[in-house]
Amino acid sequence: MSAERGRQITLIGFMGCGKTSVGEELARLLGVGRADLDQLIEERAGTTISEIFKTKGEAAFRALETEVLNETAARDEALVVCSGGGIVLDPKNTETIRRRGTAVWLRASPQTIFARVSGDGSRPVLANAASAERIGEILSARLPRYEATADFAVDTDGKSIAEIAREIVERLR
Ligand code: S3P
């Protein structure tokens, strides 16, 4: 990352790990802007992520996701970037995130994730993941991708949004 460009901090991690809420608090603490990739995708598509999956399929969603990531990375700004849980599945995205700044991996146990996301119909990847066990399986399959992308990880179980954000600020020093 070149010195004159603002540093981008990208939050990565599985669905329900708190990327969006922690991102808001972290951006506030750092005094920088925030970009939410899922939100940018929905604005661009003019519809919800669930609808994109349903009508165009996951591949079309992933293409849009890479597009908004690349555009965000091209901004000459210090930003906190909140990503979607599957962004790391494409190694090209990992490369972009790492080139552009620091990747912080928010971790949570399958039980915590299940408690946070159950009953929320807005996540198509979890449409059939009706148990903590199933979430654990999807999470395990993705672990190597989070590991390959992250500069460091923060465990979030039992911590408040403010505590997690403060811990990230400390680790960034
Ligand atoms: C996805 C995570 C979602 C969203 C989409 C796919 C995934 O974002 O991008 O539903 O594959 O893990 P959140 O992690 O913000 O829920």
Side-chain angles (χ1 to χ4, degrees):
M1 164 185 151
S2 66
E4 67 276 10
R5 294 178 91 196
R7 178 193 201 183
Q8 293 189 358
I9 314 292
T10 305
L11 299 183
I12 61 167
F14 203 73
M15 293 161 274
C17 283
K19 299 182 294 290
T20 301
S21 346
V22 171
E24 279 171 9
E25 178 61 7
L26 182 62
R28 198 185 65 76
L29 290 179
L30 297 174
V32 301
R34 191 178 70 93
D36 188 305
L37 301 184
D38 280 348
Q39 194 183 325
L40 290 169
I41 292 167
E42 292 191 333
E43 281 166 17
R44 173 144 319 170
T47 186
T48 62
I49 288 173
S50 292
E51 270 310 301
I52 303 171
F53 267 73
K54 216 184 292 168
T55 59
K56 303 207 170 106
E58 179 166 354
F61 170 79
R62 297 293 172 204
L64 264 176
E65 186 173 49
T66 296
E67 197 175 294
V68 297
L69 171 68
N70 290 341
E71 287 171 14
T72 303
R75 286 166 63 177
D76 279 344
E77 275 175 79
L79 283 175
V80 170
V81 180
C82 302
S83 66
I87 198 138
V88 297
L89 297 176
D90 183 341
K92 283 200 303 296
N93 293 343
T94 290
E95 216 269 312
T96 304
I97 292 167
R98 292 190 56 82
R99 181 171 39 80
R100 194 58 190 81
T102 306
V104 180
W105 176 17
L106 300 188
R107 286 194 297 218
S109 67
Q111 289 73 19
T112 300
I113 294 169
F114 179 63
R116 289 190 189 148
V117 302
S118 62
D120 175 354
S122 70
R123 291 183 167 101
V125 173
L126 295 181
N128 300 312
S131 65
E133 287 69 33
R134 182 66 195 120
I135 285 175
E137 284 166 18
I138 307 174
L139 184 56
S140 299
R142 288 180 172 189
L143 282 185
R145 296 303 314 147
Y146 292 124
E147 274 161 9
T149 308
D151 287 287
F152 63 87
V154 173
D155 289 312
T156 65
D157 280 352
K159 294 179 190 161
S160 70
I161 301 295
E163 281 170 335
I164 300 162
R166 276 200 302 271
E167 188 173 330
I168 296 172
V169 171
E170 286 299 314
R171 302 276 300 269
L172 288 170
R173 288 217 171 105

